[in-house]
Structures are given as C-alpha cells and as structure tokens.
Amino acid sequence: MADNFAKFSSFPSFTASKEEKAKESYGLEYATAIWSYHSQNIAVYNTLRERYILNRQYAEGLESINKYKDRLDLNGDTSYLNLDFSPVNRIATIVDNILGRLMDKPYKIQCNPIDPESKTKFDDYRKEMYANMFLKQYSDEIEKKIGVPLVPKNISVPESNDEAEMELKLKYKPAASIAMEKALKFVFMNNDSDEIRRKVIKDLVVLKKAATIRYYDENNNIRYDYVDPVDLITPYSKYEDFKNIPYVGITKQYNINELSQLNPNFTEEELFEIARSQAGKNNNPLWTWSQSYEGYYNNLGSTRPYYNFNITVLEFYFLTINKEVRVKKKNSKGGFFFEPRKDTYTGQVTPESIIVSQNDSKWFMKVGKDEKQSEYEVGKGVVKTEKEAKEYFAKLKNDKRSAVAETSTKEVQYLYKGMYIPNTKWIFNYGMVKNIEREKVSGSYAPKAELPVAIIAPDIYDMQNKSLVERLIPHEDQINLIKLKSQQLLIKAKPPGVAIDLEGLDSIVMGMGENQNAGMDGIEITRMYEQTGSYTFRSRDKNGNVINSSVITQLENGIGRDFAVLFNAYNQELQMMNDVIGYNSAVDASSPDSNSGLGINKMAIQATNNSLRPLYQAALTLILKQTKRIALMVQDSMEYNTEAFSMAIGEYATETIEYGKKIAFNQFAIDIEFLPDDGMIALGIQNGTLMTSDLIRIRSVLKEDVKLAAQLLALLEDKNRKNKLNESLKMQEQNALVQGQAAQQASEANMQAEQAIL
C-alpha cells in the first residue's frame, strides 16, 4: 500500500492549472518532493538536530557525563568511582537569568491608521480643538453679554499649542484603532502569547532560531502557536527571516487513534497499513500481527492492538501562483459583473472551433455540437472557401464578444496545505487554504500571500549560526573537568605532616648535655613539636660542632599549589563564559563587588542589555511579523464573517463589532513599542517638580505610550515650575507686606515709648 511514493523526487510543475493543483495527486507529488529533499540532506538536518538537542541539554543541565570520564584519562584508576559527576549547570543559570531579564521587558502593540478616512477625521478633530482655543479667550465676555458661552463649560480647552498637541495625542484615537488593538489583545490573550514569547526567547538564546504559526481552527477562531525549530523543514535561504522560501514543513508525531480523528475518512484497513509501515520506527515495536488486513481481522476481530503506534506526519504548506481569469460583462441594468473562467480561458474564438455549413450562395456558422444554425451568414462572393469562412466567422464572433465583455488575467499567489505520512501514498486534509490574509493597497487586495509559519534565525550564514549556549559549552566542559579534577585531588590528598632527620635529632639530644636531656628522647621532642609547634635545641654540641638546624621539616598536604591552580582556572573559565557572550556577573549578582559604586553597576547592566538587545529585537521582529498578519486575519473576519470574528474576540465583540464594517477598510501602521519602568520619573520626584497626581497620570500613560509619557512629563514639569515660581512670587509679596507691617508697628511702639518718657 506504500507504493508509488518514490517516483516523486522532484517538485511538480508550478505552471499547472488551478484545477490540477487542487487534486490530491498534485499535493502528494509536492509533499513527497519536500520529504525527498529533506531525506537527501538528512545528514545536514541530523547534524543540526543533534546540535539543537545538545544545546537544550546544556541549557537544562542534562548534558552527558560520559565524555568527562574519557577526558580525565583515568587509565584504570578506580578513584573516579567516588567522584560526583553532576554538572555545574552554570549555563542553565545564565539562560534562566537572561530569559528572566528579557521577559521583564513589557511592550505594547500600537495600531496607527494611515488610510485617508482616518486622517481626515483626525484633522477635523484637531481643527475643532484649535477653534475652541481661539474662542475660549472671548467666551467669558460673550457669556456676560448674551448668557451663553462660546465654548461649553464641560469641554477641556488646552492653554497652549504644546498642551493642545499633547491632548490631541492622549485623548484622540480613531475607533478603528481602538477596535483593532482590543481585538489583537484578545487574540493574543486567548492564545497564551506570554508563554509563546517565553519559548521564542528561550529558543533564540539556546538555538538562535525560533518560529511561530498562525491559522484558523475548526471553529474559525484565530490561533497563534509556537513551533519547535527542531521539527522545521525548510529549503535553503540566505535571509534570517526566511522570507523567500516557497514552502515549509513541520514534522509531528501522532498515534493511530489521533490520526483517525485528524482524518475520519481513514478506513480500518488503511490504518492497519499505516501502522504496519511504521513498525520498528519511532520507538514502535516490530510487527507481530498478520501481514494482511484480512488475516489480521479474522484473528483479532475489530480490535486495534497497535493503537499506540507513533506515526510521523509531515504538515506542509506551499505557495504557488495561479492565473485568475475574469470576464467583465454588462448586465441588463447598465452595470457590470465579473464572471470567473478557467485559467486556460483566453477569451478568443479560434477558427478551428467554428462549424460552418453552406448552400449554393451562402456560408452559415454554428458553434460546437449545437446543430442549430446561428443568424451569422455570409455570401460566397465575400468568402469562397471553408477555411476563409471559419476565419471570417471567428473574427466576427471575437469582435462582438469584445464589444460586450472584457477579459482580465491576473497572477495571484495562493497558499495550499496538507498532511502527508512520509514514505507512503497517504495524504489528507489537502487543499487551498481558505481566508488567505492579504494586505490592502489603495483599497485593493495585494496578490501576494505569505506562509503561516514565521521563522527568525539572527545572523544566519549559509543556513548556520551559533547560539549563546553553544558559545558557552566549551567553557562549561572545562569547568566540569576542573571540578572533577579537584575532587580527585581531595580524594588522593595526604594529611599534613613532618619530615624528621634522625641523625640530626640524635645530635639535638646529645647537644643538650647530660643534665638537660634527662627524660628527653626523639619521641618526646617530636611530640612537643606536634603539640606546641616548637622545640628547643642547641645549634652546637659540647665539642662546638654545628648541629643540623633543619631537623624537623613541615610537609604540606596534597592540596596546596595544585588546588590553587585549579581554583584560578575555574574562575578564569567563569569569566570567559561572561566574556564570550557579553554578559556581566554584576547583572545576576553572582559575584557582587562591594567596592564598585552604583554607577559602575549601572554601566555593567547597560553593557549586558546591549549584548542581549539583538536577541530580544529578533523575538520582537518575529512577534511583529505575525501580529501584522493576524491583524489582516481580524480584518478578513470582520469584513466577511462577523460571527467568526465575534467568536475570536469574545467579550470585546460587543464593543468592537460596531466598527467592524469600517475597520476592514482601514490601513494600519502596526508597531511594537517598549514600555520601560517608571525610572524616568525618578528625577522629577527627587527634584520635587512632580506632584502625586502627576505621577499617577504619567504611570498610566507610560503603560500605553512611552513617547507620550515623556512629553507629558516635560509638560507637567514645566507647568509645575511655573506654578512654583508664581507661588514664590506671592510668598515674597506676602513676606514684604508682613515685614512692612512689622516695621510700622515697631515704629509706632517707639513713638509711644518716647511720648511716655516725656
């Protein structure tokens, strides 16, 4: 049952008709070509896969310890049996720290409309605001005269042009932008985007490659999901975002029961053959049942003992260009409509398709197999032969068709998808993808489509790059070897002791004289040295001969110098790990320097952030690319199926659907903006230029727009400075008034005192 798959070693014709591409045979040929290309380069893919798996093992501290035993060159030394081979896991600590730092960088998706309708509304709002500013200066005076203000009291009017522009950006936002931002927010929340972002960032740190996918599920909900780079199959690309690839494949594992649910059209016999084709693969056991379905069925009945067989399935997507042929025709009411035709349609009638008949004086035309003669006729004096008659009637027919219809041909890119069981003939769920999201340019849909899988591999060169973890692996290996070697030294280390010169010891005893050495021998002198660390002796004997002055020599243990060398090497490798990735130990406080000031630590943190910025930028690039396409999916849902869109945005549907029919015609400039913490307002707090209400307002704006928060901060500080200056001037006036009154009272008191003396 798995025959005829090997013959498809090349891709099918890209110029095939749309009808031909819709057949499963075309999809099978394309899928088999993808797998054939993958199999031909299996050595490259396996090498890359092994690298990815190794990197992930190191990132989790699960690397193999066998290579350390070989590199220690133990040569039969059984002391290694007492060693603790558990890895140091410094890489895992660095990865977790980097992941935490990058995840702690909030951002916001901004949707700014750029279509003419939204721009016009923005300009109208702006003009109205400036008109109110102009009328405000006369409003109070007019109200005194006629009792009605020019500007209603409940309208907030800016005091300056700067404040007007600020209020314009803060308060005005088109309804379409609000609806789109809320819809995108719900889609991402509904798909657990934070967890997807965590996986993407970790893949970039560990593998330096990441991927995500977008699609509609069976309920027309918009889905956004993570894709493991290990499972990706792509053609060669020189771009880090793989923007030029025509297809992509994702290998997945399903058991037989799951497979039967993915494609309910599979019969029991087909499931039997699929399971048998995968025996001994994917950790499946060898086939122990009948070689034919009939024999299996007779012996086991309708049971399915191979239900847990794992089956490799290739989920593939490819882009192809189809010709779209439309005939523009006039209707009876003076309008027109477009009638679709096959892509082989040219709109021209050929002479060969004309059937003619004749009598003695005329030629008559009839089309196809229709035996009914048309009203077209021509005399034999005009055309004499049958060939000339066919050419005459073909031209006549084409002229009439051109007068009432216009044929347009356009090449449009389409997306196809399917699921294929490798090395078999089975393909299912194949066909053109519905609701292909397309950009709108000047109100018209663009002919270009995109693959649903977005990929990013920063700094790729010849399909290769090196991740942070891969840069760290050699140094972690060295650290683990140093750790094991240190354990070996500790195991083999001898306790500290002394070396004693026996002849010199005898000379010491003799040099003490007969009275002094009473009760003293070599053992007692050694014991004195061990207990007190000192001993007494004469440097010369009674004859004046010099006695050996280094009778007892201190012996160090087996750690000493060698252990210090290993300790220095260990620290050097730790520093090298930081150096090769631009990471600073001050960031994770693993080795804080008490002598370094706050400014130095900030510089270290900034240096680390600079080294990590390319990875985080790559993650945001991937997120932004999918966000733009998901926004188009939202627009398509709104324009053509509001029910599906309401299912996608749930509780926000009531608030946003009212804009649904307009949002589909809006064009957006979608961007991602970083949202820093409120450290930017710390200086204002210290200087006292901001009030409590200002801080609350700035923090609120900071969550939405950094630029506006900065402008608002400057505006509020300027206003507060002016207010403080006015308060200071008033205080000075009050102080001068109080001092004047005090001086006057003192003068009056002096005068009263003088009068009392008189």
Side-chain angles (χ1 to χ4, degrees), residues 8 12 20-31 427 430:
F8 298 131
E20 185 68 23
K21 292 176 181 177
K23 297 178 181 179
E24 282 195 353
S25 58
Y26 186 92
L28 177 61
E29 188 174 354
Y30 205 110
I427 184 174
Y430 172 75

Side-chain angles (χ1 to χ4, degrees), residues 426-471:
W426 283 288
I427 184 174
F428 57 97
N429 296 344
Y430 172 75
M432 182 188 296
V433 174
K434 298 179 180 179
N435 298 329
I436 301 174
E437 72 277 359
R438 301 183 187 275
E439 295 181 354
K440 282 188 175 181
V441 180
S442 301
S444 300
Y445 285 107
K448 184 175 176 58
E450 286 190 12
L451 292 170
V453 179
I455 310 170
I456 191 73
D459 306 320
I460 192 174
Y461 175 73
D462 197 23
M463 293 291 286
Q464 300 286 327
N465 58 9
K466 183 172 281 190
S467 69
L468 296 185
V469 168
E470 202 163 2
R471 297 183 202 173

Side-chain angles (χ1 to χ4, degrees), residues 650-668:
E651 63 183 278
Y652 296 105
T654 305
E655 188 172 354
T656 56
I657 286 297
E658 60 181 304
Y659 306 115
K661 297 304 180 182
K662 293 183 180 179
I663 197 172
F665 298 99
N666 285 108
Q667 293 175 274
F668 296 96

Side-chain angles (χ1 to χ4, degrees), residues 491-508:
I491 292 172
K492 293 184 176 183
K494 304 298 187 294
V498 293
I500 301 174
D501 183 353
L502 295 178
E503 292 184 357
L505 189 62
D506 292 340
S507 298
I508 292 175

Side-chain angles (χ1 to χ4, degrees), residues 321-333:
I321 294 177
N322 293 337
K323 283 199 304 183
E324 291 291 335
V325 180
R326 298 286 187 271
V327 176
K328 183 179 179 181
K329 292 184 175 181
K330 295 180 180 179
N331 57 29
S332 58
K333 298 181 179 179

Side-chain angles (χ1 to χ4, degrees), residues 70-347:
D70 297 334
R71 293 174 67 178
L72 281 174
D73 193 19
L74 298 171
N75 293 326
D77 188 351
T78 59
S79 63
Y80 74 90
L81 295 176
N82 297 322
L83 300 183
D84 179 9
F85 281 89
S86 301
V88 174
N89 295 344
R90 174 61 180 161
I91 290 180
T93 302
I94 293 177
V95 169
D96 290 342
N97 193 274
I98 291 175
L99 183 60
R101 291 187 62 80
L102 296 183
M103 283 295 294
D104 196 28
K105 290 183 178 293
Y107 64 89
K108 183 179 185 299
I109 296 173
Q110 297 280 0
C111 298
N112 300 313
I114 56 176
D115 58 288
E117 180 182 357
S118 298
K119 288 293 183 182
T120 300
K121 291 181 178 179
F122 177 83
D123 291 338
D124 292 342
Y125 186 89
R126 187 172 185 274
K127 291 176 182 178
E128 181 180 356
M129 177 176 287
Y130 276 95
N132 289 335
M133 289 175 60
F134 175 77
L135 296 174
K136 181 66 176 179
Q137 55 187 328
Y138 306 106
S139 182
D140 294 340
E141 184 178 348
I142 296 299
E143 184 179 8
K144 292 178 181 178
K145 293 182 178 180
I146 64 176
V148 179
L150 292 177
V151 180
K153 298 290 187 180
N154 59 345
I155 294 180
S156 176
V157 180
E159 298 178 0
S160 64
N161 291 344
D162 291 340
E163 188 175 353
E165 293 298 325
M166 174 65 63
E167 292 292 328
L168 188 64
K169 293 179 180 179
L170 284 174
K171 292 185 176 181
Y172 179 79
K173 197 158 196 175
S177 293
I178 297 173
M180 178 57 75
E181 289 180 2
K182 288 186 175 182
L184 289 174
K185 183 177 181 180
F186 183 84
V187 168
F188 285 123
M189 288 177 60
N190 196 40
N191 288 278
D192 198 7
S193 63
D194 285 342
E195 176 62 17
I196 296 174
R197 180 164 69 104
R198 186 191 68 81
K199 291 181 178 179
V200 165
I201 293 175
K202 189 165 186 177
D203 278 351
L204 288 171
V205 174
V206 179
L207 312 179
K208 209 171 185 179
K209 187 176 183 180
T212 57
I213 187 173
R214 63 185 183 276
Y215 59 95
Y216 290 102
D217 65 9
E218 62 278 4
N219 296 320
N220 291 323
N221 293 321
I222 300 173
R223 291 300 180 191
Y224 168 63
D225 205 356
Y226 163 80
V227 176
D228 191 341
V230 176
D231 298 329
L232 275 178
I233 297 177
T234 65
Y236 183 91
S237 177
K238 64 179 181 180
Y239 298 102
E240 64 180 24
D241 61 351
F242 291 73
K243 61 183 179 182
N244 65 326
I245 59 174
Y247 69 83
V248 64
I250 306 173
T251 57
K252 297 183 177 181
Q253 298 285 333
Y254 299 100
N255 61 44
I256 287 292
N257 282 349
E258 291 173 328
L259 199 64
S260 64
Q261 295 174 14
L262 286 175
N263 182 27
N265 295 325
F266 276 138
T267 64
E268 283 295 329
E269 183 176 1
E270 289 174 331
L271 292 175
F272 170 87
E273 292 295 340
I274 292 172
R276 189 162 68 92
S277 70
Q278 302 293 309
K281 304 175 183 177
N282 301 328
N283 295 321
N284 296 326
L286 295 176
W287 193 257
T288 59
W289 300 283
S290 172
Q291 295 299 310
S292 67
Y293 175 73
E294 290 78 10
Y296 150 80
Y297 188 83
N298 291 334
N299 292 329
L300 300 176
S302 59
T303 61
R304 193 183 294 163
Y306 44 82
Y307 69 94
N308 60 346
F309 262 47
N310 290 319
I311 311 299
T312 298
V313 176
L314 174 67
E315 182 177 323
F316 65 96
Y317 301 84
F318 67 88
L319 295 169
T320 186
I321 294 177
N322 293 337
K323 283 199 304 183
E324 291 291 335
V325 180
R326 298 286 187 271
V327 176
K328 183 179 179 181
K329 292 184 175 181
K330 295 180 180 179
N331 57 29
S332 58
K333 298 181 179 179
F336 62 88
F337 65 97
F338 289 93
E339 185 178 84
R341 296 295 178 91
K342 291 185 177 181
D343 53 8
T344 56
Y345 178 79
T346 62

Side-chain angles (χ1 to χ4, degrees), residues 542-611:
K542 61 182 180 179
N543 297 322
N545 297 321
V546 178
I547 300 174
N548 186 5
S549 60
S550 55
V551 177
I552 301 177
T553 304
Q554 179 72 37
L555 296 178
E556 295 182 358
N557 59 17
I559 298 176
R561 182 179 57 82
D562 293 338
F563 199 81
V565 170
L566 290 175
F567 183 77
N568 291 333
Y570 185 93
N571 288 334
Q572 182 180 5
E573 292 298 331
L574 284 179
Q575 184 59 45
M576 287 294 294
M577 293 184 80
N578 292 336
D579 291 344
V580 296
I581 64 173
Y583 198 71
N584 197 293
S585 57
V587 174
D588 61 359
S590 60
S591 56
D593 187 356
S594 59
N595 296 321
S596 63
L598 181 61
I600 295 177
N601 286 333
K602 285 186 176 180
M603 292 174 61
I605 292 173
Q606 184 60 41
T608 298
N609 290 339
N610 290 340
S611 66

